[in-house]
Amino acid sequence: MKGRIFYLIKIYVFMALTFVVAKPVFMLCNGAGQNLSGGDYADVVWHGLSLDLSTALYLFIVPFLAVLVSLWAWRWNGIRKFLKVYYAIAAAVLSMAFVIDTSLYPFWGFKLDASALQYIDATGNAFASVSVGFVLLRVLVMAGIAFVLYRVMVVLTPKEKSRWRGFAHQHGGKRGSAQGGTIEPVRKMGVRLLASLAFLFCIPLMVLGLRGGLGTSTSNVGQVYYSQKQFLNHSAVNPLFSFISSFGKSTEDVPEYSYHDETRCRELLAGIFDTRSVDSDTLLNTRRPNVLLIIMEGCGGEFTEMGGNAHVTPNLTKLSREGVYFTSCIANSWRTDRGLLSILSGYPAFPTLSVMKMASKCRTLPSMAKTLKKQGYETDFLYGGDANFTNMRGYLLSTGVDRIVSEDDFTGEQRGSSKWGVCDSIAFDRLYEMVASRKEGKPWFTTFLTLSSHEPWTVPMPAKFNDEVLNAFYYMDMCLGRFIGRLKKSPQWRNTLVVILPDHGIKYKDIDETKKLRSQIPMIWTGGAVRRPARIGMLCNQADVPATLFGQMGISHADFTFSRDIMSKTYRRQFTIHTFPEGFSTLDASGFNVYDLNSNQVTVGGTGKAIETGKAILQAMSKDLRNR
């Protein structure tokens, strides 16, 4: 009996220590530029310990039940074989959690969670951001970690006492003692019953450990947050717990955001979402321009004059002075699928849910293409990559796009020009051909999504900077400038409105979600249809593009519930929201604020009306989506 108890203690301690050791490794791999001290490592381990102990209990359940069964089973070896299979699975899961979490963090800036599963339906795209060597190295590391973990857990598992049978025959069934890492059958009925009762008594204690104590709140990611420095909080989070606990937030079930009663929610949202256009300032010289929407992959404000990098995107800088420049535009989200839907459907983004992947909801959304088709416009969409990624094709077709041009419409040689498909220079050439071939008299709406300014940042041009990220955005900007130059010389320019903005920004150096620049994006309206150059300083979101455009065109946008015409006199309360997996940020007259959904606390700014308004927006969005 003593051997079984020692075994359970050893295996639980080992599982917990595995999580503890993983934390400083994560910090070493991702802590460049964080100015970490020895105290930071100790604090991360200490504050993350409660979640590590709780998560280790989940893995401990199977060995615990196996020992309980062994009290009544005749042979331990059969149970040991079962445990070896379990340990192989557990070792593989642990190694994958550690390596994937550590590897994804530099790209995404948050801990591993189930939202990662939303982007593996197109395997080629999922691995396009990294090199083959990057993937192979991590596969080897995962295999090595899994092997070590498995071997240790097997060594800790005691063997059945091999001399039991002969000993029993010679001594009338008397038992020897368990020692030297061996297990012998428990023969006496009284010992079995007492031991079983003791084990059963431990089950409620384990349940308390799993839920995190007797308090009203259960174990959650936010319980380990302790610092104003998000990297330290993220380091303290157990990646396996983060992944498992996020499943309920990443399925097609609409998340439940319930912060206020209906009356309070309406009060907080009063004056924010008005679907009318009243005496809008005129930006265009025609009511029915052709509309070309260029969505730049990842080109957040940090790569423009907003972030002091006008030299990286000189053509954007030039266009901002020639056309209408919206200087205070905020991205709704951090991913292409969410940003694209925000722009095209005027629908804000959820922190963890990809609405684009919800086919049953997509067809109920309003869209610019759907509205313009009713006005006689031809609609198409160009993307040099895989249009099936994140259900993009399904969303576009269900919301009014007549024709989709993707990597399948290019030659094999052209498709090999970028890890993601077709490089921007080739795709911009195709865009020019599509626009130039349009017949006069039939208005058109074309959307183009670029792709070269994305990991792994490989572009077909000599290096301009000693920074591959800046090179990629310089290349994208160069392709854009060349295209606009050609378009200006074509007959199409005169009656065309070109709307240019990114799908989202990216985490670059120390610009993370706690910085306002992380969500700031440039938006420029140019083309022959623009009346005159202007700078618009009012706060706006990507989701405001449809209502603002339709306000200029005299088209009703009443079905765009969350889109505002910022040029209308009805736009009096300026407010923006940006969401990311762990929370949201707001920007209004009170300033920039960030709210963490894991710890339910403000991490940047104040705790006033802006945060409560952000919560009310999430609540209104979730209610709206559930009802669709």
Side-chain angles (χ1 to χ4, degrees), residues 115 117-123 125-126 252 335-338 340-341 344-345 353-365 381 383 385-401 404 406 420 449 625:
S115 63
L117 297 177
Q118 299 176 10
Y119 305 104
I120 64 173
D121 55 346
T123 307
N125 281 309
E252 285 213 353
R335 285 287 300 195
T336 298
D337 53 319
R338 290 99 185 276
L340 196 64
L341 189 135
L344 297 178
S345 289
L353 180 71
S354 175
V355 179
M356 182 177 282
K357 293 180 70 69
M358 304 174 71
S360 61
K361 301 294 185 180
C362 284
R363 60 175 175 264
T364 70
L365 294 175
F381 183 93
Y383 176 51
D386 181 5
N388 293 313
F389 195 47
T390 65
N391 190 44
M392 187 189 299
R393 185 185 300 276
Y395 161 74
L396 293 171
L397 293 176
S398 66
T399 54
V401 174
I404 298 173
S406 66
W420 283 88
L449 173 62
L625 192 59

Side-chain angles (χ1 to χ4, degrees), residues 107-108 110 115 118-119 125 129 297 332-342 349 354 389-390 420 454-455 503-505 518 542 578-579 581:
F107 297 103
W108 286 8
F110 62 88
S115 63
Q118 299 176 10
Y119 305 104
N125 281 309
S129 298
E297 171 63 49
N332 281 99
S333 186
W334 63 286
R335 285 287 300 195
T336 298
D337 53 319
R338 290 99 185 276
L340 196 64
L341 189 135
S342 294
S354 175
F389 195 47
T390 65
W420 283 88
H454 194 290
E455 304 100 352
D503 49 358
H504 55 79
R518 173 68 174 84
Q542 288 168 317
H578 165 84
T579 63

Side-chain angles (χ1 to χ4, degrees), residues 110 283 292 309 386 393 469 546 548 611 628:
F110 62 88
L283 301 176
L292 173 58
N309 283 317
D386 181 5
R393 185 185 300 276
V469 178
T548 303
I611 293 296
R628 286 186 177 275

Side-chain angles (χ1 to χ4, degrees), residues 2 32 48 65 176 359 507 518 534 541 606:
K2 188 163 52 175
L65 294 176
K507 181 180 182 294
R518 173 68 174 84
N541 270 129

Side-chain angles (χ1 to χ4, degrees), residues 47-173:
H47 286 91
L49 188 59
S50 62
L51 207 54
D52 291 338
L53 295 176
S54 179
T55 308
L57 279 174
Y58 283 97
L59 298 173
F60 178 70
I61 290 173
V62 172
F64 177 85
L65 294 176
V67 170
L68 178 59
V69 170
S70 77
L71 297 175
W72 299 91
W74 185 256
R75 296 296 302 276
W76 170 257
N77 275 342
I79 295 174
R80 191 171 187 271
K81 290 177 181 178
F82 164 76
L83 284 173
K84 289 175 73 173
V85 174
Y86 170 72
Y87 289 146
I89 296 172
V93 170
L94 288 172
S95 65
M96 289 175 65
F98 297 149
V99 175
I100 293 175
D101 175 55
T102 303
S103 300
L104 280 181
Y105 189 82
F107 297 103
W108 286 8
F110 62 88
K111 295 293 281 186
L112 178 68
D113 68 14
S115 63
L117 297 177
Q118 299 176 10
Y119 305 104
I120 64 173
D121 55 346
T123 307
N125 281 309
F127 290 104
S129 298
V130 294
S131 66
V132 174
F134 180 96
V135 175
L136 288 178
L137 176 61
R138 279 145 185 82
V139 170
L140 290 174
V141 172
M142 278 192 283
I145 293 174
F147 177 76
V148 171
L149 293 177
Y150 170 74
R151 289 302 303 163
V152 173
M153 287 188 280
V154 169
V155 169
L156 291 176
T157 308
K159 299 178 181 179
E160 188 171 56
K161 195 165 185 179
S162 60
R163 62 191 182 90
W164 160 251
R165 290 181 182 173
F167 187 91
H169 283 300
Q170 293 173 20
H171 299 277

